[in-house]
């Protein structure tokens, strides 16, 4: 139990945090929070302060007020960890809280008083494959490491999995970033496959021999966390006029209702990220209560929404269009929940029914058409017994 003084200090911080105008889309001030949710927020803030304190300690030790910038790089500047030096460099960018940041070059070791990530609002995060990628890279390299380095890799992976377990909301969902960063980052996030990658990681940690270096207790917790997330998916699959469909890109952390993220990510059903989660359910949880019904309903919806005999192409300026190609199918990334029709959004926040109506910048900078659903439907159609059931 917290002492009275610590509790008072925490409540003072929480009140300031909840009402800070800098935190847009603040889900935490909409209704009174239970003690379980308050404890979750307190834990998040403690970890956020831990990350800040480490940087401050390094500055003090060096006698400098300067914080060095981290370099940007797509996919961390690496394809995999192939040697001991790369493993050490990647581990050096692990935050004290236990995660990694996105779009950050990790080819060279992090220097004292250097940011852990190139984008402050994503330090650390699960967005853009961050944290989950590093866990798999380290586990894959582990057999090649020396005994001394294996011990450090084990500790690094343990810290990362512990962070993922702590990040899970009391209802089973996951935020995009943790410790929490505020705004839409706190939404339960399917976008860019964040939730899919977290569930894939939890399953592999619990079942894959690559993670035998971890304790049985931690692996059991990962398995429990996986099924808690499955329960969240089953409870929040969107029902339209009595029919189960798929999910939205972002859901409210408490209510589970679809929510807006960026202006070009309005409330809508999302095909691609839903399909990845459906593949995962098909592979790992099809016998779990309620999953077969959810998967079959979503498969029917995706089958209905495919754009038949079309392929999406870009011109030299990045403009998107659909061309005829017999046998090829695509899906719009977003579908209006009410009408079920494809929808597209620009930075003005307006809704458009044709991708050609978007600015060239948004046509070029976003994947408005996707094909992930084809892979899921192919696997689903091979499960004849499931379809009959």
């Amino acid at each position: 139990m917290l002492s009275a003084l610590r509790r008072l200090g925490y409540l003072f911080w929480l009140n300031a945090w909840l009402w800070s105008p800098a935190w847009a889309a603040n889900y935490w001030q909409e209704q009174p929070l239970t003690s379980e949710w308050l404890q979750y927020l307190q834990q998040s803030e403690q970890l956020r302060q831990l990350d800040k304190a480490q940087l401050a300690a390094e500055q003090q030790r060096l006698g400098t007020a300067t914080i060095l910038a981290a370099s940007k790089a797509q996919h961390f500047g690496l394809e995999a960890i192939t040697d001991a030096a790369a493993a050490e460099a990647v581990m050096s960018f692990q935050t004290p809280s236990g995660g990694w940041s996105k779009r950050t070059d990790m080819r060279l070791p992090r220097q004292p008083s250097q940011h852990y990530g190139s984008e402050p609002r994503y330090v650390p995060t699960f967005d853009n494959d961050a944290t989950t990628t590093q866990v798999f890279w380290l586990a894959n390299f582990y057999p090649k490491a020396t005994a001394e380095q294996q011990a450090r890799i084990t500790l690094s992976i343990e810290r990362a999995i512990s962070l993922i377990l702590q990040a899970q909301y009391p209802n089973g969902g996951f935020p995009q970033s943790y410790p929490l960063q505020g705004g839409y980052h706190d939404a339960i996030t399917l976008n860019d496959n964040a939730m899919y990658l977290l569930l894939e990681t939890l399953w592999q940690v619990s079942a894959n021999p690559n993670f035998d270096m971890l304790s049985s207790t931690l692996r059991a917790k990962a398995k429990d966390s996986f099924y808690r997330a499955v329960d969240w998916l089953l409870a929040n699959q969107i029902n339209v006029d009595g029919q189960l469909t798929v999910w939205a890109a972002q859901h409210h952390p408490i209510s589970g209702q679809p929510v807006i993220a960026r202006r070009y990510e309005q409330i809508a059903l999302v095909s691609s990220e839903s399909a990845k989660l459906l593949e995962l359910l098909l592979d790992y949880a099809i016998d779990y209560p309620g999953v077969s019904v959810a998967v079959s309903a979503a498969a029917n919806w995706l089958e209905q929404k495919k754009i038949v005999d079309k392929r999406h192409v870009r011109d030299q300026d990045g403009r998107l269009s659909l061309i005829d190609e017999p046998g090829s199918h695509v899906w719009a990334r977003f579908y209006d929940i009410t009408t079920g029709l494809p929808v597209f959004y620009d930075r003005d926040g307006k809704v458009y029914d044709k991708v050609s109506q978007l600015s060239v910048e948004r046509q070029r900078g976003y994947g408005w058409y996707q094909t992930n659903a084809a892979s899921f439907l192919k696997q689903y159609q091979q499960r004849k017994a499931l379809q009959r059931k």
Side-chain angles (χ1 to χ4, degrees):
M1 296 293 291
L2 291 173
S3 68
L5 184 60
R6 287 180 64 203
R7 185 180 295 276
L8 182 63
Y10 166 64
L11 291 174
F12 175 82
W13 162 81
L14 179 63
N15 183 66
W17 182 70
L18 291 178
W19 296 100
S20 169
W23 296 65
N26 196 322
Y27 308 116
W28 313 111
Q29 65 184 37
E30 297 172 2
Q31 61 189 55
L33 299 174
T34 65
S35 60
E36 188 176 29
W37 284 95
L38 288 171
Q39 288 170 9
Y40 177 93
L41 295 178
Q42 179 190 13
Q43 171 189 267
S44 170
E45 177 60 12
Q46 288 172 341
L47 288 174
R48 194 170 71 90
Q49 293 299 331
L50 181 67
D51 290 345
K52 290 176 63 177
Q54 176 64 31
L55 265 179
E58 290 176 354
Q59 288 176 280
Q60 185 177 26
R61 188 165 62 249
L62 294 174
T64 179
T66 301
I67 298 179
L68 303 176
S71 299
K72 276 197 171 187
Q74 292 297 323
H75 210 250
F76 320 108
L78 299 165
E79 294 297 325
I81 292 175
T82 57
D83 55 44
E88 294 298 329
V90 167
M91 286 190 289
S92 74
F93 277 93
Q94 187 174 21
T95 64
S97 57
W100 283 269
S101 308
K102 71 174 187 175
R103 293 180 185 150
T104 300
D105 193 336
M106 299 183 186
R107 289 175 291 182
L108 296 175
R110 175 184 167 272
Q111 301 302 303
S113 189
Q114 184 180 18
H115 273 300
Y116 284 93
S118 63
E119 299 178 46
R121 293 301 295 273
Y122 296 91
V123 180
T125 188
F126 308 125
D127 193 33
N128 285 42
D129 306 348
T131 301
T132 52
T133 293
Q134 284 78 11
V135 166
F136 284 114
W137 280 356
L138 289 168
N140 289 338
F141 181 72
Y142 179 87
K144 304 173 188 175
T146 64
E148 183 182 359
Q149 191 176 47
Q150 283 181 341
R152 290 197 299 278
I153 288 174
T154 299
L155 180 59
S156 179
I157 295 174
E158 285 175 347
R159 290 175 54 218
I161 301 307
S162 294
L163 181 77
I164 292 172
L165 296 176
Q166 290 174 301
Q168 189 169 32
Y169 283 132
N171 57 19
F174 286 95
Q176 181 200 62
S177 296
Y178 185 83
L180 297 178
Q181 296 292 329
Y184 72 86
H185 307 286
D186 294 356
I188 294 174
T189 302
L190 281 71
N191 198 35
D192 292 333
N193 291 322
M195 191 162 182
Y196 160 76
L197 287 168
L198 287 167
L199 266 68
E200 179 69 31
T201 302
L202 290 168
W203 180 263
Q204 295 300 333
V205 165
S206 71
N208 192 319
N210 279 8
F211 292 95
D212 283 349
M213 81 287 284
L214 303 179
S215 71
S216 59
T217 299
L218 187 61
R219 300 183 80 183
K221 288 181 179 179
K223 187 174 184 178
D224 177 70
S225 177
F226 173 86
Y227 283 113
R228 287 177 57 213
V230 171
D231 285 336
W232 184 91
L233 288 170
L234 295 175
N236 291 280
Q237 189 172 6
I238 296 173
N239 189 306
V240 179
D241 297 329
Q243 298 296 317
L244 289 173
T245 60
V246 288
W247 296 271
Q250 296 87 207
H251 290 250
H252 193 288
I254 300 177
S255 71
Q257 293 298 309
V259 293
I260 295 170
R262 291 169 288 193
R263 285 176 172 243
Y264 52 88
E265 292 167 337
Q266 301 286 318
I267 292 174
L269 298 170
V270 61
S271 65
S272 183
E273 287 88 346
S274 292
K276 290 296 292 182
L277 281 164
L278 289 163
E279 279 192 71
L280 181 144
L281 293 175
L282 195 61
D283 288 340
Y284 306 142
I286 196 60
D287 294 325
Y288 190 71
V291 167
S292 62
V293 171
V295 167
S296 295
N300 290 336
W301 186 87
L302 287 168
E303 187 67 42
Q304 294 167 15
K305 298 306 174 185
K306 71 181 178 184
I307 303 169
V308 179
D309 295 330
K310 296 289 185 180
R311 179 167 65 90
H312 64 288
V313 296
R314 294 182 186 271
D315 65 17
Q316 61 183 5
D317 295 320
R319 292 183 178 88
L320 270 170
S321 61
L322 295 177
I323 62 171
D324 294 334
E325 185 169 292
S328 292
H329 311 309
V330 298
W331 285 259
R333 185 164 186 169
F334 298 121
Y335 289 83
D336 182 86
I337 291 180
T338 303
T339 67
L341 296 175
V343 282
F344 308 89
Y345 310 105
D346 215 317
R347 291 190 183 274
D348 58 9
K350 294 180 180 178
V351 182
Y352 299 93
D353 57 11
K354 294 184 176 64
V355 72
S356 60
Q357 297 171 310
L358 301 181
S359 64
V360 174
E361 183 270 334
R362 275 298 82 197
Q363 289 188 53
R364 186 169 50 232
Y366 208 72
W368 296 105
Y369 292 105
Q370 304 278 322
T371 59
N372 284 341
S375 174
F376 159 69
L377 287 175
K378 182 178 179 180
Q379 292 186 49
Y380 174 76
Q381 289 157 5
Q382 293 171 350
R383 304 284 188 98
K384 300 301 182 184
L386 176 60
Q387 294 175 60
R388 288 194 297 271
K389 181 179 178 181

